[in-house]
Amino acid sequence: MRRIAALLCLLPAAVAIAAGGAAWVKLPGGSFRSALKYEDAREVKLAPFELQKRPVTNAEFLAFVKSHPQWRRDKVASVLAEPRYLSHWAGAQALGDDALPQQPVVQVSWFAASAYCEAQGARLPTWSEWEYAAAADETRRDARKDPIWRERILAWYSKPSNHALPRAGLQTPNAWGVQDLHGLVWEWTDDFSSLLVSGDNRMQGDADKFKFCGAGALSMDDRENYAVLMRVAMLSSLEARDTTANLGFRCARDVK
């Protein structure tokens, strides 16, 4: 009986993995005022899209690694992932105490995250899609002008990142029905490397990583929203093979 009960407890997680991970939330798209400047455009037009309700978990990424062994940490090409890739897992195909099944997967490169989403028939969200979804609080689809809401996000950024991560999906869904966009992990976007846009074309492609904070300030249309600047600066300082202990991802897909 105990064995049967244990199997029943594992069933929901197994069903989620078999179904391609987290549930999907449909967002209607439309015109959205980004905090970033895109040449002379103040608003970005977004087509309707779907976004996973919560970030991808260790259990889901483990299932992907087992079915795509080229993404095991002991087999992945060095150009696709640095040495810290999945380094907190107990083994190449084992999670362990430092990577619990329902925690968001971290220490994963952009290349690996993109490959996971592609295997689900999806893709990583663009920055504009992620920003659009993340502008909502629990009751408003755009809460960015609320200083109290901004302070909530900045308070999370100020916390040390050396504590064990909670499991994904604990937060109250925002007004779109999406969870964990703030307060759990940073998240990869498809276009993370092209977020900093200087008004001087001669600076495009500059390899000097130490300029990214200044360039970010030049790219901001809403400079009071410091939390957005922090996200852009962090993502833009990375290379696609990099991993960190507090950077995960979720997938998006076009509405058919």
Side-chain angles (χ1 to χ4, degrees):
M1 290 296 292
R2 290 181 179 178
R3 185 177 181 183
I4 294 174
L7 289 173
L8 289 174
C9 288
L10 292 173
L11 184 58
V15 170
I17 293 170
W24 294 85
V25 175
K26 184 176 180 180
L27 287 86
S31 294
F32 174 73
R33 187 181 178 106
S34 175
L36 298 184
K37 289 182 179 178
Y38 292 93
E39 297 180 348
D40 295 329
R42 289 184 172 271
E43 292 200 345
V44 176
K45 293 188 181 298
L46 293 174
F49 66 100
E50 291 183 321
L51 192 65
Q52 284 188 310
K53 187 173 182 178
R54 55 159 175 75
V56 174
T57 65
N58 284 310
E60 291 158 357
F61 201 77
L62 176 60
F64 164 74
V65 166
K66 287 182 175 179
S67 61
H68 299 77
Q70 68 271 30
W71 290 103
R72 287 171 43 154
R73 72 183 190 191
D74 59 341
K75 293 186 176 183
V76 68
S78 60
V79 296
L80 301 180
E82 63 161 297
R84 292 180 296 177
Y85 173 68
L86 299 179
S87 58
H88 61 308
W89 284 18
Q93 296 188 96
L95 298 181
D97 293 338
D98 294 328
L100 300 179
Q102 297 309 312
Q103 287 176 326
V105 66
V106 292
Q107 296 289 20
V108 59
S109 69
W110 178 92
F111 288 117
S114 183
Y116 174 94
C117 292
E118 185 177 350
Q120 315 305 318
R123 55 177 173 77
L124 287 171
T126 66
W127 164 263
S128 295
E129 289 171 337
W130 195 95
E131 185 186 14
Y132 174 69
D137 66 4
E138 293 84 353
T139 59
R140 297 167 292 184
R141 293 181 174 181
D142 191 346
R144 293 175 297 170
K145 294 299 182 182
D146 185 347
I148 297 176
W149 184 72
R150 289 182 177 182
E151 287 299 320
R152 281 174 54 191
I153 299 172
L154 287 173
W156 170 62
Y157 290 160
S158 67
K159 292 181 180 178
S161 59
N162 56 353
H163 299 295
L165 292 170
R167 69 177 177 87
L170 289 179
Q171 292 183 7
T172 302
N174 69 11
W176 297 115
V178 184
Q179 295 173 286
D180 301 331
L181 288 164
H182 305 288
L184 186 57
V185 289
W186 307 82
E187 296 185 19
W188 284 112
T189 65
D190 184 62
D191 50 354
F192 77 97
S193 63
S194 60
L195 298 180
L196 299 186
V197 181
S198 170
D200 186 347
N201 288 333
R202 294 171 297 176
M203 295 175 62
Q204 303 309 314
D206 193 330
D208 188 348
K209 293 289 185 179
F210 296 103
K211 293 180 180 177
F212 73 85
C213 285
L218 291 174
S219 300
M220 292 292 293
D221 191 39
D222 182 4
R223 300 186 187 187
E224 293 182 2
N225 199 336
Y226 189 64
V228 175
L229 175 57
M230 290 177 67
R231 288 196 294 273
V232 171
M234 191 280 294
L235 286 173
S236 298
S237 69
L238 298 173
E239 296 182 357
R241 67 187 294 269
D242 289 345
T243 76
T244 81
N246 57 359
L247 176 62
F249 71 99
R250 74 182 74 211
C251 303
R253 62 189 182 191
D254 300 328
V255 175
K256 298 179 180 179

